[in-house]
Amino acid sequence: MRDLILSLSANRNLSDRELTTILSCGDYDADLAEEADRVRRSVYGDAVYIRGLIEFTNYCKNNCYYCGIRHDNKMAERYRLTKDEILECCAEGYDLGFRTFVLQGGEDPYFKDEIICEIVSEIRAKYPDCAITLSIGEKPRKSYQAYFDAGANRYLLRHESADEKHYARLHPKELCLLNRKRCLYDLKEIGYQVGAGFMVGSPYQTLENIVSDLRFLQDLQPDMIGIGPFLTHEQTPFKDFKNGTLEMTLRLISILRLLFPYALIPATTALGTVSPNGRELGLKAGANVVMPNLSPVKYRKLYELYENKICTGEEAAQCRGCLERRVESAGYRIVTDIGNVKYER
Ligand code: SAH
């Protein structure tokens, strides 16, 4: 196993079967994480980049089977932030040292392109030294272009599963993998720094599916890769499935780091939810980004993709302080610059 890990690290071209072996063997997780950390330090040192997450709407027209803010969840209390509220989050975040704002939300038809562009241009004008990341789902290419022209420069859109059949088991028929991929390649062509990713341990996911995810990522070559454990939500069709595990998520973070030494990989909120020190372990396994919440506290519980989400009761400043301690305890250092991806030379 140690040989396989070193071979993955040196060549980044294991066979499907070899990848499956690493994915299914828990005994060598310490070796795997150690090698991933070595590679991460060789590219990014001990830097951990912070992104201020603004969850600006939990309205959604979609019905993803896993997601707590799906349209058909009539129990969800819906909210959307005004432009001024979003700008206040940015102002508070800027003072705390954030130089990336991530605007994430459900696919909310209220936020037409004009409104998104207006919000983006205003943030762009106020904060020329910051990155603006959008994470608002599938749109026509011309919308992505309009947001980009307004000043957005990064986009997060997890592909969720690169296997057609598995994708169709996670989503209703209105949503298809082909369009998801079209979006990702459009975003890349337009010039965004692009993030893809998937949930670990989602219902029906097989190791074969995960290998397909890794192959898809190798083709797309995203700048950012977000993964986190699948976590159940009572008001979804997947309420009776098992949660994804800490161990499998950590193993995959390490494999991603070895396959994509230059990628920006977050230790996600879902990882911190599945285990109290999940994010610290994620950093030690190769992750190099954390995304604390900048949303107004009163809305945080309502952006409930899954149950028991952490950090819903704290002010942004407290979140920032708590994370700083966590990152340092793991042996890394928060940096407050814009934190663009590094490219292979
Ligand atoms: N509407 C946007 C943002 C989605 S929320 C979009 O479509 O891209 C961001 C991510 O949270 C999703 O891509 C999904 O991978 C993850 N997520 C959703 N429900 C989840 C759950 N129950 N457990 C873990 N992660 C979940």
Side-chain angles (χ1 to χ4, degrees), residues 27-233:
D27 301 351
Y28 288 81
D29 284 356
D31 286 348
L32 185 60
E34 196 179 296
E35 183 60 15
D37 187 55
R38 192 189 64 72
V39 168
R40 161 258 170 63
R41 283 179 191 271
S42 77
V43 179
Y44 285 101
D46 60 358
V48 170
Y49 300 106
I50 50 171
R51 320 298 195 196
L53 184 61
I54 304 169
E55 299 157 336
F56 70 99
T57 174
N58 73 348
Y59 283 86
C60 192
K61 66 181 170 65
N62 292 334
N63 261 312
C64 306
Y65 301 143
Y66 44 84
C67 184
I69 64 167
R70 64 201 304 273
H71 178 269
D72 287 356
N73 177 7
K74 303 296 178 212
M75 304 288 280
E77 187 184 326
R78 305 287 171 170
Y79 74 92
R80 51 174 75 95
L81 302 192
T82 63
K83 185 177 74 180
D84 287 343
E85 286 176 312
I86 295 173
L87 287 164
E88 274 170 39
C89 294
C90 294
E92 191 177 354
Y94 193 89
D95 287 344
L96 290 166
F98 289 93
R99 294 296 176 269
T100 296
F101 303 119
V102 182
L103 271 54
Q104 187 178 84
E107 290 195 21
D108 179 355
Y110 168 85
F111 285 98
K112 298 194 192 337
D113 289 353
E114 294 74 11
I115 307 187
I116 295 289
C117 287
E118 201 184 303
I119 295 169
V120 169
S121 335
E122 213 158 310
I123 300 175
R124 176 50 62 232
K126 281 212 166 93
Y127 306 102
D129 56 334
C130 292
I132 303 173
T133 307
L134 294 176
S135 179
I136 54 176
E138 298 178 21
K139 307 279 176 183
R141 180 172 178 136
K142 66 173 188 348
S143 304
Y144 290 146
Q145 184 69 57
Y147 311 151
F148 187 80
D149 296 341
N153 32 25
R154 300 183 190 147
Y155 205 102
L156 303 178
L157 185 74
R158 292 188 178 176
H159 66 280
E160 313 293 2
S161 172
D163 179 274
E164 298 273 2
K165 289 206 192 81
H166 184 230
Y167 192 93
R169 298 186 90 164
L170 301 179
H171 303 96
K173 62 177 182 325
E174 297 77 35
L175 296 169
C176 72
L177 178 58
L178 198 65
N179 193 51
R180 199 86 181 167
K181 287 187 177 172
R182 189 273 304 159
C183 290
L184 284 162
Y185 288 100
D186 276 353
L187 288 161
K188 243 196 133 172
E189 272 177 33
I190 290 169
Y192 284 94
Q193 291 177 39
V194 172
F198 56 95
M199 291 176 291
V200 179
S202 61
Y204 312 108
Q205 185 183 55
T206 62
L207 291 180
E208 222 180 4
N209 293 154
I210 295 178
V211 171
S212 304
D213 289 320
L214 298 175
R215 297 304 181 208
F216 169 69
L217 292 169
Q218 284 181 310
D219 186 74
L220 178 69
Q221 290 294 323
D223 305 287
M224 304 165 282
I225 307 174
I227 64 167
F230 159 74
L231 300 169
T232 57
H233 187 293

